[in-house]
Amino acid sequence: MDLRRNKPDPQLQEQIELEEIRLLHGGTPFSYTASFVIVLIIYTILQDHVVSPRNLNIWLFIILSVLFVRSIDSFLFSRASEEEQKEKKWRIRFIAGTGIAGFCWGLLPWLGYTHEVEYFAFIIICLVGVIAGSLATLSYRWETMALFLLPSSLMLALRVVIEDHQYSNATTLVMAVFIFFSLTAGKRVFNNTQQNIRLRLEADNRERAIELMHQKQALHLQNTPLAIIEFDLDLNVTEWNKSAETMFGYRRHEAIGENILRLILPRDSSEEAEKLWQRLLNYEAVIGAIIENKTKNRDKIFCEWFITPLTDQQHRIVGIAAMALDITDKKINEQAIIKSKEAAEKASHAKSDFLSSMSHELRTPLNAILGFTQLLKYEKTLTDKQKSHIEEISSAGNLLLELVNQILDLARIEKGHLQLSLEKVNLADTLSECQAMIAPLAEQNQLSLDINTRVEGYVIADYTRLKQVMLNLLSNAIKYNRKNGSIRIRIKQKQDDRIYIGIIDTGPGISEELQQEIFQPFNRLNAASNIEGTGIGLSISKQLMEMMGGSIGVISKIDEGSEFWIELPGKLAMTTAIESETRAPRLEVLDNPDSSVSILVAEDNPTNQALILNQLEALGFTADLVENGQEALSAIARKDYQLLITDCNMPVMDGYKLAHTLRQRGYSQLPILALTADAFPEKRADCIKAGMNDLITKPVDLKTLKNMLEKYLN
Ligand code: ADP
């Protein structure tokens, strides 16, 4: 194996080097003892045959000293701690020591030189033996082996060459072959040893890692907040961790071997459990299933389960591993949130119902107030003082009506019941309509009004709601203006196909700080108390603009005036070709009615009875009156009526039932108009569903009533 190719990581390399130095030092007690014995034998045998006994003594001294020093070094190494043994110094000392020892052995043929051939041969044999023997212990590190072998063998070879015996050449050749093979063999031994060390260390490391993993798993198993449970194919528990104990109340020894279903599932959930079991047997993991479980104390808890089948090598299911998380608190919170959401929805419905009935309750008396006030205006005998009082009642009543309408709008927007129909709205028509409606008010306040109604173009909007927003802004510009001030409208095309409409007044202006709050409901800022208002108009305008895909804002400077602007998708035309899809309805003047027309009115409230009869009379009609649906049916059976006006809520038989019965009895041509104080759109739907043709909302305006009559009596 090529070691360079599989370069070990630095940590493993360090371990290998530690192992090498340990093996090298580990072999020294035997090799040093052997060397000591061989040195003594050589010394004893050569003593009487060497040329210089003094030199032999020197050799003996040197080699024993080296052996001694190296023994001490090995001893110190064996005593060192693992960390110390990793230090480089041991390696350097050992390699240097080996080189010195090799050199000392190489000195033997020189210091222990003898002329006697057989003794010289003895020296050669001893040295070759020592070198060969060293291979076993030194080849753990190739350099140490080479450092020992080269000085000792080369010095011996040199001595043989110098000797110049007849066998010198042959001996030298044998020596060279010996050195070559020794080095090659040593290298091979070194490589194998390295590889063995490496494999053994890697195996050790792997084993240790696995053991660590097992320890960690055991730790996690015991300390995780997840209940970890395993069971076999008979559903008997085989593993039950600490969290399972806490979660379900059974101790480990109580749970092991018990049937899992009996332990933690309520009785009535066997069908659910069976389904899960079938999924698992189909090798399907169950992830995040929320199951109702029971504890030892029979308490109900909710757990989220992660269950997977365990398989053997043949892919057969041998058991099931499951993890569970107690989510009872989360579940309880969820249920509480659902409950409070339901309660909030109920409260919201109650609020809407309250607003609806409030509007009904307020509109009924308002109907009487405004209706009779309007009728009073036609009286010819009134004094100026009385006329002025009637004006006061009329304006207070109208303000109250505006407030009721605005609150209803707000409620409808909140309930999401306000339906808009977006279409191309002709700007000129809208502006003319607004001007017609607002001009008297401007005149009354001595303000100049400048609206260019010849603008050609359109915006995409709901016609009625756009007019509502513009009238609100215009009436504010009149209300919050100075004496002899002015109101101007400017319109411009913006780049992104939007139209900008600015309503500019010369009023007191609004500080930047207050501009932030101006679109909040019921915020009248610091409007003077003598200026009538509700503080809702701008908030409704903002919501309406947003619903129409537009925007609203204000630019204002204190003492200079304000510019309230709206922006809507649309285009200013370069030509006059734009046709409005919605034509602003124009009010028509009263005509002389046909007095032969017979009208039936069904109304139970005496005030409203008097009002509608008087209103009809003012318009030139006479009508018969009944108090409920039942009476209306009898009256219609007796006489041929051209129109029926009916209240919706009446005793005995209400307006819906009356309309329904009439349509059933074949009165399909009779126009039926509902009279209601309820302004919610659902009401209109109910009326139409019951078979009525149209709906008049209270308080009834004379002009509206006239228009209705004309429409249905034609
Ligand atoms: P209202 O006019 O019924 O009070 P709005 O929502 O229409 O309610 O307006 C809110 C407040 O904003 C007003 O009370 C007034 O203080 C201020 N405001 C509105 N329009 C103007 C304006 N053109 N100039 C100065 N202040 C204004």
Side-chain angles (χ1 to χ4, degrees):
M1 186 198 265
D2 187 349
L3 284 174
R4 272 165 310 177
R5 206 177 48 210
N6 284 345
K7 214 174 173 208
D9 66 57
Q11 215 182 341
L12 184 64
Q13 186 59 39
E14 193 185 66
Q15 280 179 308
I16 291 175
E17 283 177 6
L18 176 67
E19 195 59 24
E20 274 171 11
I21 191 78
R22 277 180 175 170
L23 285 168
L24 288 170
H25 273 292
T28 55
F30 172 76
S31 63
Y32 291 172
T33 314
S35 299
F36 182 70
V37 172
I38 291 167
V39 167
L40 288 185
I41 293 171
I42 291 173
Y43 179 77
T44 318
I45 291 177
L46 290 185
Q47 212 174 19
D48 301 329
H49 304 279
V50 288
V51 177
S52 162
R54 193 173 140 266
N55 281 355
L56 187 65
N57 286 340
I58 291 172
W59 177 78
L60 180 70
F61 175 73
I62 292 172
I63 200 146
L64 287 181
S65 306
V66 171
L67 265 177
F68 178 70
V69 172
R70 294 192 75 200
S71 303
I72 302 263
D73 192 46
S74 281
F75 176 73
L76 291 177
F77 177 82
S78 68
R79 286 304 167 106
S81 68
E82 185 174 322
E83 275 317 298
E84 287 168 342
Q85 285 181 346
K86 281 181 188 164
E87 289 171 20
K88 270 244 161 350
K89 66 177 184 193
W90 300 109
R91 221 175 156 70
I92 297 166
R93 286 216 298 250
F94 192 88
I95 291 174
T98 315
I100 293 168
F103 178 73
C104 290
W105 281 105
L107 283 177
L108 177 62
W110 297 85
L111 294 179
Y113 181 67
T114 168
H115 294 301
E116 295 167 54
V117 175
E118 59 269 37
Y119 286 98
F120 193 71
F122 170 70
I123 288 175
I124 293 174
I125 289 164
C126 284
L127 268 183
V128 170
V130 166
I131 291 168
S134 73
L135 285 185
T137 49
L138 293 181
S139 58
Y140 295 126
R141 198 65 237 168
W142 192 71
E143 300 93 305
T144 54
M145 187 199 63
L147 267 176
F148 183 80
L149 187 140
L150 285 175
S152 52
S153 54
L154 287 178
M155 282 169 80
L156 172 65
L158 194 64
R159 181 74 246 187
V160 174
V161 171
I162 290 173
E163 202 46 36
D164 199 22
H165 283 297
Q166 66 221 14
Y167 51 83
S168 283
N169 287 344
T171 313
T172 312
L173 184 68
V174 170
M175 288 290 300
V177 172
F178 170 73
I179 292 169
F180 174 76
F181 279 105
S182 301
L183 281 174
T184 321
K187 176 87 180 163
R188 195 156 328 123
V189 173
F190 165 70
N191 282 349
N192 287 341
T193 317
Q194 279 269 317
Q195 197 180 339
N196 285 344
I197 293 173
R198 197 164 155 236
L199 290 176
R200 187 163 55 73
L201 285 175
E202 278 176 351
D204 283 356
N205 288 348
R206 253 197 309 272
E207 212 169 280
R208 228 168 291 142
I210 289 170
E211 199 182 318
L212 201 71
M213 204 171 73
H214 279 305
Q215 279 176 8
K216 275 189 197 163
Q217 270 179 351
L219 196 76
H220 291 159
L221 201 74
Q222 285 312 312
N223 296 308
T224 171
L226 290 169
I228 294 180
I229 299 169
E230 285 176 21
F231 45 91
D232 58 24
L233 290 181
D234 295 326
L235 297 169
N236 291 331
V237 176
T238 53
E239 179 57 57
W240 188 264
N241 76 340
K242 232 190 226 161
S243 289
E245 289 186 342
T246 329
M247 215 175 276
F248 299 105
Y250 294 98
R251 305 301 308 274
R252 187 182 160 83
H253 68 267
E254 292 174 303
I256 297 285
E258 289 298 322
N259 182 292
I260 183 77
L261 301 186
R262 200 186 57 73
L263 279 186
I264 62 168
L265 274 191
R267 274 216 189 106
D268 53 359
S269 54
S270 53
E271 203 178 308
E272 207 180 334
E274 181 58 35
K275 272 190 209 154
L276 278 184
W277 186 236
Q278 286 310 323
R279 279 172 67 182
L280 291 167
L281 292 182
N282 282 333
Y283 295 85
E284 203 184 314
V286 175
I287 292 167
I290 294 172
I291 300 174
E292 188 187 320
N293 294 115
K294 66 165 181 156
T295 67
K296 189 179 175 184
N297 297 334
R298 305 202 177 282
D299 291 335
K300 189 166 88 172
I301 59 169
F302 287 95
C303 295
E304 190 172 3
W305 286 89
F306 302 85
I307 317 171
T308 182
L310 299 171
T311 51
D312 63 7
Q313 277 171 338
Q314 280 81 42
H315 204 54
R316 285 177 308 214
I317 297 178
V318 288
I320 306 290
M323 291 191 294
L325 187 66
D326 185 351
I327 54 156
T328 312
D329 288 347
K330 194 174 137 198
K331 196 89 186 163
I332 289 172
N333 282 346
E334 260 174 31
Q335 281 168 353
I337 289 169
I338 291 171
K339 260 191 194 153
S340 65
K341 191 172 160 248
E342 281 169 4
E345 276 169 4
K346 242 187 189 170
S348 166
H349 276 116
K351 190 183 85 179
S352 301
D353 291 348
F354 167 74
L355 285 174
S356 164
S357 64
M358 186 194 81
S359 90
H360 184 89
E361 297 308 321
L362 285 178
R363 277 164 169 268
T364 307
L366 257 182
N367 181 36
I369 297 168
L370 289 175
F372 281 116
T373 313
Q374 206 172 17
L375 284 174
L376 269 178
K377 285 184 193 169
Y378 287 87
E379 289 292 331
K380 294 186 180 82
T381 54
L382 293 179
T383 63
D384 284 350
K385 201 174 171 191
Q386 284 168 333
K387 276 184 190 158
S388 128
H389 287 169
I390 288 167
E391 273 311 317
E392 290 293 332
I393 298 170
S394 172
S395 95
N398 277 318
L399 183 67
L400 193 56
L401 181 64
E402 190 190 324
L403 178 62
V404 169
N405 285 341
Q406 284 186 340
I407 290 178
L408 280 175
D409 271 349
L410 214 57
R412 270 187 227 163
I413 292 172
E414 263 177 30
K415 266 185 102 178
H417 279 179
L418 194 82
Q419 279 159 9
L420 300 181
S421 71
L422 297 183
E423 55 199 347
K424 273 185 183 172
V425 174
N426 187 297
L427 276 171
D429 286 345
T430 317
L431 292 168
S432 311
E433 180 85 1
C434 288
Q435 191 188 33
M437 293 180 79
I438 217 75
L441 192 65
E443 206 181 306
Q444 206 178 316
N445 286 272
Q446 288 150 16
L447 298 167
S448 73
L449 181 65
D450 176 13
I451 303 177
N452 176 11
T453 55
R454 287 185 304 279
V455 179
E456 286 168 11
Y458 69 90
V459 286
I460 305 291
D462 177 296
Y463 174 70
T464 319
R465 296 303 174 179
L466 172 63
K467 216 173 70 185
Q468 182 180 344
V469 172
M470 293 207 25
L471 285 175
N472 179 234
L473 298 182
L474 281 166
S475 67
N476 277 354
I478 293 172
K479 281 197 293 184
Y480 307 104
N481 213 316
R482 64 175 159 77
K483 216 172 170 200
N484 299 321
S486 67
I487 297 116
R488 190 162 63 85
I489 290 192
R490 65 167 173 153
I491 300 182
K492 56 184 180 187
Q493 174 80 60
K494 296 203 79 181
Q495 275 171 343
D496 47 355
D497 278 350
R498 285 167 89 84
I499 304 273
Y500 174 101
I501 306 174
I503 293 159
I504 305 162
D505 65 48
T506 48
I510 307 152
S511 71
E512 279 201 16
E513 202 182 315
L514 292 178
Q515 284 174 30
Q516 315 294 325
E517 305 167 16
I518 204 157
F519 294 102
Q520 289 166 4
F522 303 106
N523 198 338
R524 297 213 63 213
L525 307 186
N526 39 20
S529 58
N530 61 341
I531 303 176
E532 283 170 351
T534 57
I536 324 179
L538 284 180
S539 142
I540 292 177
S541 297
K542 184 173 191 302
Q543 301 201 48
L544 288 175
M545 287 311 297
E546 282 166 5
M547 285 171 78
M548 289 192 275
S551 50
I552 188 169
V554 60
I555 309 160
S556 187
K557 252 196 172 160
I558 292 284
D559 293 335
E560 284 184 24
S562 311
E563 176 170 359
F564 277 83
W565 56 262
I566 55 170
E567 260 185 44
L568 279 165
K571 258 202 170 108
L572 285 182
M574 295 302 136
T575 67
T576 53
I578 294 169
E579 257 305 297
S580 171
E581 286 172 14
T582 306
R583 284 267 155 202
R586 289 181 190 282
L587 294 171
E588 288 165 24
V589 287
L590 294 163
D591 297 329
N592 283 331
D594 180 355
S595 55
S596 64
V597 171
S598 54
I599 299 173
L600 180 67
V601 173
E603 166 71 70
D604 62 319
N605 182 301
T607 319
N608 288 343
Q609 285 173 352
L611 178 62
I612 186 75
L613 289 180
N614 277 297
Q615 283 175 322
L616 287 170
E617 196 186 319
L619 294 173
F621 296 100
T622 50
D624 295 339
L625 179 78
V626 287
E627 296 213 334
N628 58 53
Q630 195 61 54
E631 286 180 14
L633 283 179
S634 318
I636 290 167
R638 281 195 306 272
K639 186 175 166 184
D640 201 10
Y641 287 101
Q642 266 106 357
L643 185 93
L644 167 66
I645 299 175
T646 175
D647 186 17
C648 286
N649 303 318
M650 291 180 293
V652 188
M653 181 187 282
D654 64 21
Y656 306 109
K657 185 94 189 282
L658 168 62
H660 188 68
T661 317
L662 282 172
R663 297 300 184 218
Q664 269 189 337
R665 292 189 185 172
Y667 293 95
S668 57
Q669 298 306 315
L670 176 69
I672 308 176
L673 302 180
L675 201 57
T676 171
D678 195 338
F680 278 105
E682 302 92 292
K683 195 76 174 185
R684 168 174 288 275
D686 289 346
C687 292
I688 303 296
K689 204 172 144 202
M692 301 184 192
N693 297 69
D694 218 325
L695 173 134
I696 310 170
T697 39
K698 295 174 189 172
V700 182
D701 179 70
L702 267 185
K703 282 181 188 168
T704 318
L705 181 62
K706 169 76 170 62
N707 286 340
M708 279 281 183
L709 294 178
E710 271 185 0
K711 182 175 170 190
Y712 288 99
L713 287 174
N714 256 345

